[in-house]
């Protein structure tokens, strides 16, 4: 009678295909044709997304004392591939240099874990205390690689390629006190603490960084009910 629980899950699996052709005509100030660019772009995203939530709610009494707990999980992946073809012609229609071909593989994804608990307790008919805590962890993995055709060989383009992994952890807690000072004046005072730790790693460039910061966020609200 006092406790309820729920579970929800969702799954997305989406595959798309894009084939776009484009023609650009470049002219001088007099309107005379100088260059024509003919391009084609092929893209094939493949997105999968899994998310779930677990919730428990418990009521301690009929006065409004209750505890809520949530746990969430999200997993997102996109196996994205691209191909770009560009050819340039002069004003007479003669091909300028060789066509430019670029292949892109852009697998990206992130995973999220999050839990939180919120407790609410009326101290009397005019005062209520809310306290809670939250923890979340995120990991993002982006491996972007582009290949160019050089001397009829597919070669990695290092100027457009980077494998980057980012991890972030957040721990937070809060307390809020709501009370009536008089019949027309109410006050809410709160304090929230948060610590964030983030770590980035560029595997391609062999560079890393770490951010670690913590902060207190006080709040104070006053409200007046005129009529």
């Amino acid at each position: 009678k006092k406790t309820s629980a729920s579970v929800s899950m969702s799954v997305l699996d989406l595959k798309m295909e894009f084939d776009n052709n484009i023609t650009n005509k470049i002219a001088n100030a007099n309107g005379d044709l100088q260059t024509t660019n003919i391009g084609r772009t092929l893209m094939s995203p493949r997105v999968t997304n899994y998310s779930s939530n677990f919730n428990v709610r418990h009521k301690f009494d009929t006065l409004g004392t209750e505890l809520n707990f949530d746990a969430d999980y999200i997993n997102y992946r996109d196996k994205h591939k691209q191909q770009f073809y560009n050819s340039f012609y002069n004003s007479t229609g003669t091909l300028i240099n060789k066509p430019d071909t670029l292949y892109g593989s852009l697998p990206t994804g992130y995973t999220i874990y999050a839990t939180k608990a919120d407790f609410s307790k009326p101290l009397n008919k005019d005062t209520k205390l809310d306290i809670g805590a939250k923890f979340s962890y995120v990991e993002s993995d982006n491996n972007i690689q582009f290949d160019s055709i050089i001397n009829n060989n597919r070669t990695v383009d290092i100027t457009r390629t980077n494998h980057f992994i980012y991890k972030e952890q957040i721990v937070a807690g809060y307390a809020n006190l709501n009370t009536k000072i008089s019949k027309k004046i109410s006050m809410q005072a709160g304090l929230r603490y948060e610590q964030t730790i983030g770590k980035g790693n560029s595997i391609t460039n062999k560079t890393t960084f770490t951010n670690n910061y913590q902060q207190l966020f006080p709040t104070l609200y006053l409200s007046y009910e005129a009529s």
Side-chain angles (χ1 to χ4, degrees):
K1 292 181 179 180
K2 293 185 177 182
T3 306
S4 61
S6 65
V7 176
S8 63
M9 300 180 66
S10 66
V11 178
L12 171 69
D13 190 350
L14 184 63
K15 186 176 181 180
M16 297 171 284
E17 297 285 345
F18 299 96
D19 188 349
N20 300 315
N21 294 281
I22 187 171
T23 299
N24 293 311
K25 294 182 180 295
I26 303 171
N28 61 17
N30 297 323
D32 300 323
L33 180 64
Q34 301 294 303
T35 307
T36 300
N37 163 230
I38 297 177
R40 185 184 182 191
T41 300
L42 301 172
M43 292 187 293
S44 56
R46 176 68 184 271
V47 177
T48 56
N49 188 26
Y50 307 93
S51 62
S52 60
N53 169 264
F54 173 69
N55 171 264
V56 175
R57 180 183 182 186
H58 179 75
K59 294 183 178 181
F60 292 90
D61 52 41
T62 59
L63 301 177
T65 305
E66 66 177 37
L67 175 67
N68 275 286
F69 173 81
D70 280 279
D72 293 278
Y73 169 78
I74 297 174
N75 185 290
Y76 174 88
R77 294 291 182 268
D78 183 3
K79 298 177 181 179
H80 197 121
K81 292 186 178 181
Q82 298 178 346
Q83 297 179 45
F84 302 95
Y85 304 96
N86 283 285
S87 299
F88 295 88
Y89 301 86
N90 60 21
S91 59
T92 63
T94 302
L95 183 66
I96 303 174
N97 297 324
K98 66 178 183 64
D100 182 24
T101 303
L102 192 65
Y103 297 92
S105 176
L106 296 82
T108 182
Y110 59 83
T111 304
I112 301 175
Y113 302 91
T115 60
K116 67 174 182 174
D118 299 282
F119 177 75
S120 179
K121 180 173 180 58
L123 302 179
N124 53 52
K125 66 176 184 177
D126 296 326
T127 305
K128 185 178 74 167
L129 176 66
D130 294 304
I131 59 175
K134 181 177 181 179
F135 171 83
S136 67
Y137 176 81
V138 180
E139 182 172 346
S140 175
D141 190 338
N142 300 276
N143 188 6
I144 298 174
Q145 178 174 317
F146 282 98
D147 298 340
S148 297
I149 302 300
I150 300 176
N151 297 327
N152 295 322
N153 294 318
R154 187 164 169 170
T155 305
V156 176
D157 188 339
I158 60 174
T159 63
R160 295 185 174 101
T161 297
N162 188 24
H163 186 188
F164 182 72
I165 296 176
Y166 180 72
K167 300 177 181 180
E168 184 179 81
Q169 173 184 300
I170 297 177
V171 178
Y174 76 92
N176 279 332
L177 183 68
N178 293 270
T179 186
K180 276 192 172 184
I181 299 176
S182 66
K183 291 183 177 181
K184 292 190 174 184
I185 300 176
S186 299
M187 180 189 73
Q188 175 182 306
L191 183 65
R192 181 168 63 93
Y193 167 81
E194 183 176 301
Q195 182 190 38
T196 301
I197 301 175
K199 296 181 180 180
N201 179 15
S202 174
I203 297 176
T204 303
N205 297 328
K206 297 181 181 180
T207 58
T208 61
F209 71 87
T210 301
N211 286 330
N212 187 345
Y213 55 91
Q214 45 197 330
Q215 188 83 32
L216 282 173
F217 302 91
T219 57
L220 180 64
Y221 299 92
L222 289 173
S223 60
Y224 175 75
E225 188 177 336
S227 62

